[in-house]
Amino acid sequence: MASVSVTLEKIVSLCKRRGFVYPSSEIYSGLNGVYDFGPLGALLKQNIKNAWLEQMMSFKEEVVFVDGAILGAPEVWKASGHVDNFSDPLVDCLSCKKRFRADEFKLEDGCPNCGAKTWTDVRQFKLMFQTQLGAVADENSIAYLRPETAQAIFVNFKNVISSYRVKVPFGIAQIGKAFRNEITPKQFLFRMREFEQMEMEFFCKGEEADKFFELWVARRVEFFKSIGLNSEKIRTRAHATDELAHYAKGCFDVEYNFPFGWKELEGIANRTNFDLSQHSKFAGKELAVFDEETKTSYVPHVVECSVGVDRLFLTLLFDSYYEDEVEGEPRIVLRLHPKMAPITAAILPLTNKLREQSEKVFFDLKKLGFRIQYDTSGSIGKRYRRQDEVGTPICFTFDFESLEDGCVTARNRDTLQQERVAIDQLPAYLNNLLGK
Ligand code: ATP
């Protein structure tokens, strides 16, 4: 019987046990809100990023890809509003001394930790990490670690237009690290202090912004379905007016039903022309484009799609985690979409005597760029379980018959069905599985 009794604890334990995610600096007791990705985690992350970029570049409107710096000049973050506005309200319980974000619960209900109702004043806590460039630490050497990747896109808007010959409407996409000194990092990869974002800023005429906003919301929901997320656990939610960020005219969150409730997975915002106008004003540079039809200049409006790689990583694990029974034995299985699975297939020789011939199959597939694992240790059943637990969609068993008929037995992770496949057909078989 399949069950979906997934909890955060089970995911954290699986991630550690099987090399998806480790607490950062763990041998020195860890660093709060910071994580390292192990061999399988790094591959899963890469698959997420590839799928995102693939979707971004698949539409008739052009979307180009850039890679901006993490360190930014203070002026960028003054113009963007982050220096003044990017903060969370912080409060401490006077009784147990625990610290909280004051907007996450009602203070009059009492402390979530000890129940007391006495608080310090609410202070605004700045979320940006500040650092110094060069040897002299003074006001002029301040730089910030970016709290979002988007600003590198806005400040390079003119560079991209003039060097790459793109015309509005078009998008600029970026994947990269972002840093926020979150007051209470929690729920594992859900709220981290160092994380990765995939952001796309779509530039268009102001009168077309609503149309593109709607279009991108639909496209992004489609994306989540295309990488295997259960559509019943995804919904969109429009922000109420008092919830909108200082720059936004409209905002939709794509939410996922996590074990700890419906929460934001991606934010899609109609940012108006706030960002380009601000940078134009602060930098004293013209950031308008010329409209050939009307012979006038205008500052494009922006529709932004912003999702965290790590948050999506966690979502995929929650969504694909099942516990069931195979031939009377309990198993944990990640029913990841084959495109997302860190390992696409495993080669399992029935006995060590078949090492040489089965290893050749393994090396040949590896050489073609497939992500393949080779496993000889333990019973075949045990080896299946190991692969199921990390989401490998297919296991190929190499047995004595393989020497005669040039076939292996392909066993499907989800249906458990087995079929003989010719070894020379394995590349086509795997490409088909990956939708190539
Ligand atoms: P929240 O209100 O939860 O603090 P936010 O609205 O500030 O989040 P955005 O600035 O819209 O978040 O960030 C865009 C996306 O980046 C989010 O939808 C999320 O997927 C991801 N993200 C934001 N902050 C974090 C974080 N601390 N850890 C991991 N991912 C994050």
Side-chain angles (χ1 to χ4, degrees):
M1 255 294 286
S3 81
V4 283
S5 55
V6 60
T7 61
L8 187 61
E9 291 68 34
K10 287 181 183 180
I11 295 297
V12 174
S13 148
L14 173 67
C15 281
K16 175 79 200 300
R17 193 169 68 245
R18 298 307 311 275
F20 282 92
V21 185
Y22 317 120
S24 193
S25 314
E26 193 184 13
I27 58 169
Y28 299 103
S29 316
L31 196 57
N32 199 4
V34 185
Y35 293 91
D36 296 334
F37 289 79
L40 291 176
L43 290 177
L44 175 52
K45 250 184 142 181
Q46 201 56 48
N47 289 346
I48 292 173
K49 294 189 228 177
N50 290 346
W52 182 83
L53 195 58
E54 203 177 285
Q55 195 226 18
M56 281 298 157
M57 295 184 146
S58 68
F59 300 108
K60 76 171 195 284
E61 301 89 14
E62 183 148 29
V63 173
V64 301
F65 190 42
V66 300
D67 186 5
I70 285 170
L71 289 172
E75 292 79 8
V76 171
W77 305 104
K78 281 182 195 138
S80 69
H82 284 81
V83 169
D84 292 332
N85 296 317
F86 198 56
S87 55
D88 277 338
L90 172 132
V91 73
D92 296 295
C93 171
L94 286 173
S95 173
C96 72
K97 314 287 178 216
K98 275 236 170 204
R99 181 159 286 183
F100 299 95
R101 248 175 83 167
D103 57 349
E104 288 190 333
F105 61 98
K106 286 202 178 86
L107 296 187
E108 56 272 27
D109 288 346
C111 171
N113 185 50
C114 74
K117 291 183 198 255
T118 45
W119 300 101
T120 61
D121 288 339
V122 175
R123 288 105 64 209
Q124 286 302 318
F125 177 74
K126 301 251 182 222
L127 295 177
M128 274 204 297
F129 283 103
Q130 188 177 309
T131 188
Q132 305 280 342
L133 294 187
V136 183
D138 63 21
E139 234 180 55
N140 298 321
S141 62
I142 290 175
Y144 292 103
L145 301 190
R146 61 184 180 192
E148 60 171 32
T149 60
Q151 296 306 322
I153 295 179
F154 299 128
V155 298
N156 278 303
F157 173 70
K158 263 283 155 93
N159 277 339
V160 172
I161 290 232
S162 58
S163 64
Y164 200 70
R165 301 169 56 81
V166 268
K167 283 217 163 75
V168 177
F170 76 100
I172 304 182
Q174 186 177 199
I175 300 175
K177 291 272 186 178
F179 303 82
R180 296 182 188 180
N181 198 3
E182 299 279 359
I183 298 170
T184 45
K186 60 183 171 196
Q187 280 134 352
F188 193 36
L189 308 181
F190 186 85
R191 190 170 300 287
M192 303 154 81
R193 288 188 167 132
E194 173 178 339
F195 57 101
E196 234 174 328
Q197 286 186 316
M198 303 187 283
E199 296 195 299
M200 194 277 301
E201 310 299 324
F202 192 82
F203 299 92
C204 61
K205 287 183 181 169
E207 58 269 29
E208 291 196 314
D210 286 344
K211 177 186 87 181
F212 281 116
F213 181 50
E214 226 172 83
L215 189 63
W216 279 106
V217 171
R219 286 174 173 176
R220 297 301 301 144
V221 169
E222 259 327 292
F223 168 76
F224 291 120
K225 292 183 191 164
S226 77
I227 58 167
L229 290 187
N230 178 350
S231 50
E232 280 162 30
K233 293 197 164 182
I234 303 170
R235 72 177 185 194
T236 52
R237 188 182 67 83
H239 278 208
T241 320
D242 61 355
E243 219 187 324
L244 288 175
H246 59 278
Y247 49 77
K249 184 177 153 215
C251 188
F252 264 90
D253 284 349
V254 180
E255 295 187 332
Y256 181 80
N257 193 3
F258 291 93
F260 39 85
W262 288 95
K263 300 272 180 217
E264 172 179 338
L265 173 57
E266 167 156 347
I268 303 163
N270 180 347
R271 289 177 81 116
T272 67
N273 60 8
F274 174 84
D275 302 275
L276 290 182
S277 301
Q278 284 290 103
H279 286 302
S280 181
K281 196 161 86 192
F282 275 68
K285 301 263 160 57
E286 179 70 77
L287 294 179
V289 294
F290 188 71
D291 185 345
E292 296 291 346
E293 270 172 38
T294 59
K295 307 285 179 218
T296 51
S297 289
Y298 67 98
V299 180
H301 281 226
V302 168
V303 172
E304 173 184 83
C305 308
S306 172
V307 58
V309 179
D310 319 82
R311 198 174 284 185
L312 179 51
F313 182 113
L314 179 64
T315 309
L316 281 168
L317 294 182
F318 277 130
D319 201 71
S320 64
Y321 182 100
Y322 288 83
E323 290 169 6
D324 62 9
E325 251 181 37
V326 177
E327 289 162 8
E329 271 198 45
R331 74 162 177 171
I332 291 172
V333 54
L334 291 185
R335 297 213 167 106
L336 287 169
H337 189 291
K339 258 165 75 168
M340 294 295 110
I343 305 294
T344 310
I347 309 281
L348 315 177
L350 195 62
T351 82
N352 248 329
K353 287 189 189 128
L354 297 164
R355 178 177 274 275
E356 202 186 318
Q357 298 90 335
S358 57
E359 255 186 358
K360 179 168 180 337
V361 179
F362 168 55
F363 292 141
D364 286 350
L365 288 174
K366 251 180 32 148
K367 220 187 283 170
L368 290 172
F370 292 108
R371 299 232 184 95
I372 307 289
Q373 225 170 42
Y374 184 78
D375 189 2
T376 54
S377 73
S379 69
I380 287 287
K382 263 215 181 95
R383 285 182 263 167
Y384 283 158
R385 290 308 96 78
R386 268 204 290 272
Q387 296 298 331
D388 290 342
E389 199 184 36
V390 300
T392 308
I394 294 287
C395 288
F396 297 122
T397 308
F398 193 103
D399 53 23
F400 287 101
E401 227 183 304
S402 305
L403 300 175
E404 309 291 319
D405 66 359
C407 292
V408 286
T409 302
R411 176 262 198 189
N412 184 295
R413 175 196 72 198
D414 301 331
T415 64
L416 304 175
Q417 279 180 347
Q418 306 203 356
E419 57 178 329
R420 293 294 277 181
V421 182
I423 291 167
D424 60 9
Q425 288 304 308
L426 291 183
Y429 186 95
L430 292 176
N431 277 330
N432 184 40
L433 190 72
L434 293 168
K436 287 187 180 163

